[in-house]
């Protein structure tokens, strides 16, 4: 799957419903599913999941999937593995700025949840996973061009590592969250 770059606030706003975002993440992580399967997973009704799947399809985030052995069941799949946007482009409208702000907070919430999950699981994890896991931060001075280069190199290297580890039985799902935000200059 490829990356989906959103260009309009209205497109990004389609993702700003918590159930839609969770369903899209599930389809990306676990593959095709029906509205019924998603309703069961997220403890809601099929009417809600069907509605939100149609909304995601309207904006090109999901599509119907052909699944062997299920000729009448309507399966849905994610179209892209990631979603990105340019803040200036999407933020050209207040609707777009609000959607981008909401999405960033959701990403920060995922990081918080991952930290809490790791803390609960670490007693049952092998030592190499405990040592490999972590979080770090640095405050550096960079230009916007350098930050964009950092993003490009980071994601390129991440794709190389994913490909190299694809068939390795020691590989696990790993949540990788990165950020780069300018800070105000000290007074």
């Amino acid at each position: 799957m490829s990356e989906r770059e959103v260009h309009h606030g209205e497109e990004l706003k389609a993702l700003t419903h918590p159930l839609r975002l969770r369903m899209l993440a599930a389809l990306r992580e676990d593959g095709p599913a029906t509205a019924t399967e998603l309703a069961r997973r997220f403890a809601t009704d099929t009417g809600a999941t069907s509605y939100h799947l149609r909304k995601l399809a309207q904006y090109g985030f999901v599509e119907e999937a052909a699944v062997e052995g299920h000729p009448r069941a309507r399966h849905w799949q994610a179209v892209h593995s990631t979603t990105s946007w340019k803040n200036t482009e999407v933020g050209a409208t207040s609707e777009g700025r609000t959607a981008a702000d909401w999405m960033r907070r959701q990403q920060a919430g995922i990081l918080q949840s991952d930290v809490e999950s790791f803390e609960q699981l670490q007693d049952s994890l092998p030592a190499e996973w405990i040592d490999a896991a972590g979080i770090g931060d640095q405050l550096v001075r960079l230009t916007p061009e350098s930050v964009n280069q950092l993003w490009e190199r980071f994601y390129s290297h991440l794709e190389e590592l994913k490909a190299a580890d694809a068939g390795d039985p020691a590989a696990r799902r790993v949540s990788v969250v990165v950020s780069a935000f300018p800070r105000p200059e000290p007074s």
Side-chain angles (χ1 to χ4, degrees):
M1 279 192 282
S2 62
E3 177 181 315
R4 163 73 188 276
E5 187 169 335
V6 171
H7 298 283
H8 304 286
E10 183 180 325
E11 294 172 284
L12 191 59
K13 186 180 178 192
L15 294 179
T16 63
H17 188 283
L19 182 56
R20 279 186 213 149
L21 199 56
R22 291 190 341 235
M23 289 191 319
L24 180 58
L27 294 173
R28 285 176 173 169
E29 289 177 27
D30 303 323
T34 65
T36 302
E37 291 166 342
L38 291 168
R40 197 173 313 118
R41 178 174 179 169
F42 297 114
T44 189
D45 62 86
T46 36
T49 54
S50 292
Y51 170 79
H52 291 301
L53 285 164
R54 286 192 307 274
K55 274 296 194 192
L56 289 169
Q58 177 183 346
Y59 290 96
F61 293 104
V62 301
E63 64 187 5
E64 285 191 55
V67 175
E68 285 187 33
H70 298 80
R72 292 188 355 228
R74 190 175 188 185
H75 284 78
W76 295 88
Q77 66 186 8
V79 177
H80 310 94
S81 58
T82 61
T83 304
S84 68
W85 62 89
K86 287 189 169 81
N87 288 315
T88 54
E89 192 173 39
V90 169
T93 65
S94 63
E95 176 182 62
R97 272 191 309 280
T98 300
D101 292 349
W102 189 88
M103 291 295 291
R104 281 189 290 272
R105 283 178 177 74
Q106 294 308 302
Q107 291 167 321
I110 290 168
L111 174 59
Q112 179 67 33
S113 177
D114 289 340
V115 169
E116 291 168 0
S117 177
F118 172 75
E119 290 170 351
Q120 291 175 357
L121 290 174
Q122 64 184 321
D123 288 339
S124 65
L125 291 171
E128 61 269 16
W129 275 111
I130 294 170
D131 288 339
I135 191 168
D137 66 290
Q138 288 190 6
L139 185 58
V140 297
R141 294 189 67 81
L142 298 173
T143 64
E145 295 79 16
S146 292
V147 172
N148 284 323
Q149 186 178 31
L150 177 65
W151 288 118
E152 186 179 303
R153 287 185 183 180
F154 173 82
Y155 283 112
S156 175
H157 189 59
L158 185 60
E159 288 302 316
E160 290 171 15
L161 294 172
K162 278 173 42 180
D165 291 352
D168 191 325
R172 291 182 67 154
R173 291 186 323 153
V174 174
S175 177
V176 178
V177 180
V178 295
S179 67
F181 292 103
R183 286 199 174 166
E185 292 295 330
S187 314

